[in-house]
Amino acid sequence: PEMLADAGKVLSTLQTIEREVVSREGRHFLARFAPYRTAQDRIDGVVLSFVDITERIRAEQAVRESEEKYHTLFDSMDEGFCILQMLYTAEGKPVDWRFLEVNPAFEKHNGLFNATGKTIRELAPHIEPKWMEIYGRVASTGESLRFEESSATLDGRAFDLYAFRVGLPLERKVAVLFTDITERKLHERGQDFLLKLSDALRPLGDALEIERTATRVLGEFLEADRVLYSDITPDGEDILIADNYVRGDFPKVMGQLKTADFGPTRDVLRSGQIYVNHDPQADESFTEAARAAYRAVNIASVIVVPLIKDGSWVCNLVVQHGSPRKWSAVETALVGETRSEEHTSELQSHHDL
């Protein structure tokens, strides 16, 4: 009945109609109904032709099933995944890339949100040039790369990555499968640091020498400008500093300072939490007086680990830098790690803990 209706419609409208039909054997055909014109250009019926499209239908179904499997894997995989397209200068130098597609795990592993359609320089303007070189090479040569790399711009995260070219060579597309391995690297770096620290402290017996050596090893490891231990008076009002490790000709800070001068820092440390500030001068929670206190002792970024005994704040391990510095989670944790290591007990004795 449908075919008869189509034939009638063709005769009334003189327009060709195409319809997909299926035979009893399950084969697919494209049925085409067209007006039949005589040699005298008269309409004298309908021409019906059939084209077997079974293989095309099967191929389309296979593609749909493949895409469904891909998207199921794409959406459920734990690893971050993205497809990016390299962007170049007129001279052919890779300078940016655009994210064409990202999976749900992408944000968890690198902290970049709503990336699809945006360039990396829109999301992270200070991304390191090394990433352009790596992905540019994959895009231009077709060479697949498995490697580990870190990015200070992306909060100091470390990644395990596999990058490979996709699509046509001229499209310059790269797919990247990656995992955040910062915690693993933290453990590895921590073990290296603690081993180095233990080797340096082993021959020492004097508490002051232990303190000087610990601050030096930590300072050199982190490439910090100043590292020191400071005592806190029993009333929590004063900071007492007897010695520092400093890098190069960076000035030492000695003597007595007021805890209240340094803004909200005091309350955080009293609670036993590690205090981190990447740039006190840009910290909106600081008063101008607090910013001035930091400037007076050349502190432009800082990590402070409080040492607590019987609920009282008695001493700090302090790492400072003379310019704003975005301390990574790895660096912060390494400083905090020294609080629980064997040498701390001897330093506690020195600080009357």
Side-chain angles (χ1 to χ4, degrees):
E2 291 179 350
M3 296 180 70
L4 288 174
D6 288 339
K9 189 173 182 180
V10 168
L11 288 173
S12 63
T13 65
L14 302 182
Q15 299 293 318
T16 299
I17 294 176
E18 292 183 345
R19 175 190 295 278
E20 186 179 319
V21 296
V22 182
S23 70
R24 290 191 180 93
E25 293 77 22
R27 298 196 67 81
H28 293 258
F29 295 89
L30 182 65
R32 181 178 290 112
F33 300 80
Y36 171 67
R37 295 179 182 273
T38 66
Q40 292 74 34
D41 198 28
R42 250 184 341 102
I43 302 300
D44 193 23
V46 175
V47 177
L48 174 60
S49 60
F50 293 91
V51 178
D52 191 335
I53 58 171
T54 304
E55 293 308 315
R56 190 192 80 187
I57 295 297
R58 289 174 179 172
E60 290 173 352
Q61 180 64 27
V63 169
R64 282 195 295 271
E65 291 175 356
S66 177
E67 288 178 345
E68 288 173 2
K69 291 178 182 177
Y70 165 75
H71 283 291
T72 298
L73 175 63
F74 184 80
D75 291 338
S76 63
M77 64 196 304
D78 292 331
E79 296 88 349
F81 180 79
C82 62
I83 296 177
L84 52 91
Q85 187 168 44
M86 299 304 300
L87 304 175
Y88 298 82
T89 64
E91 294 74 29
K93 179 181 178 181
V95 291
D96 204 349
W97 68 75
R98 188 177 304 280
F99 290 103
L100 302 180
E101 193 171 4
V102 304
N103 74 334
F106 173 90
E107 297 176 351
K108 178 184 74 173
H109 286 282
N110 65 14
L112 298 175
F113 295 90
N114 302 315
T116 302
K118 296 178 182 176
T119 70
I120 186 61
R121 294 203 180 278
E122 288 177 301
L123 298 167
H126 303 295
I127 193 70
E128 298 89 345
K130 62 186 174 183
W131 296 102
M132 309 300 164
E133 297 170 7
I134 293 169
Y135 294 146
R137 187 171 78 192
V138 173
S140 62
T141 68
E143 174 189 4
S144 298
L145 292 179
R146 181 173 293 280
F147 61 102
E148 291 183 2
E149 191 57 81
S150 61
S151 173
T153 303
L154 300 180
D155 297 325
R157 296 184 194 226
F159 304 98
D160 178 57
L161 309 103
Y162 178 60
F164 54 98
R165 189 169 69 188
V166 294
L168 299 174
L170 289 178
E171 292 179 309
R172 296 293 193 260
K173 294 180 182 178
V174 177
V176 185
L177 184 68
F178 65 98
T179 305
D180 184 347
I181 57 169
T182 305
E183 289 300 319
R184 192 190 85 195
K185 287 298 184 181
L186 167 61
H187 179 73
E188 292 173 357
R189 286 198 67 197
Q191 292 304 307
D192 290 343
F193 167 71
L194 295 173
L195 178 62
K196 183 177 181 179
L197 182 61
S198 178
D199 289 343
L201 299 181
R202 189 177 297 114
L204 305 179
D206 178 72
L208 286 174
E209 278 303 308
I210 291 174
E211 179 177 308
R212 292 190 184 102
T213 302
T215 55
R216 175 183 59 78
V217 173
L218 181 59
E220 291 174 348
F221 189 79
L222 296 178
E223 298 183 344
D225 287 330
R226 184 193 292 144
V227 182
L228 58 90
Y229 278 93
S230 61
D231 289 313
I232 304 299
T233 55
D235 60 7
E237 295 298 321
D238 294 292
I239 305 167
L240 307 177
I241 304 172
D243 201 1
N244 315 175
Y245 158 81
V246 294
R247 182 168 64 163
D249 59 358
F250 195 78
K252 288 191 174 187
V253 58
M254 312 282 276
Q256 187 167 334
L257 302 170
K258 289 291 183 181
T259 58
D261 290 344
F262 294 90
T265 310
R266 177 171 64 174
D267 293 337
V268 175
L269 297 175
R270 275 178 170 166
S271 70
Q273 300 178 62
I274 296 177
Y275 179 80
V276 181
N277 198 314
H278 309 296
D279 185 0
Q281 302 306 311
D283 192 329
E284 295 182 356
S285 69
F286 275 32
T287 63
E288 181 52 40
R291 294 190 186 99
Y294 272 87
R295 289 196 300 269
V297 288
N298 302 290
I299 301 174
S301 54
V302 66
I303 302 173
V304 187
V305 179
L307 301 180
I308 306 293
K309 182 180 181 182
D310 299 329
S312 296
W313 172 37
V314 294
C315 178
N316 298 322
L317 171 58
V318 187
V319 179
Q320 302 168 348
H321 213 62
S323 58
R325 173 171 172 174
K326 189 168 181 59
W327 302 100
S328 70
V330 172
E331 292 167 330
T332 302
L334 283 176
V335 180
E337 191 81 14
T338 63
R339 183 169 54 181
S340 60
E341 295 309 312
E342 291 181 3
H343 77 279
T344 302
S345 61
E346 299 198 44
L347 290 173
Q348 286 176 334
S349 297
H350 170 63
H351 290 282
D352 296 322
L353 296 180

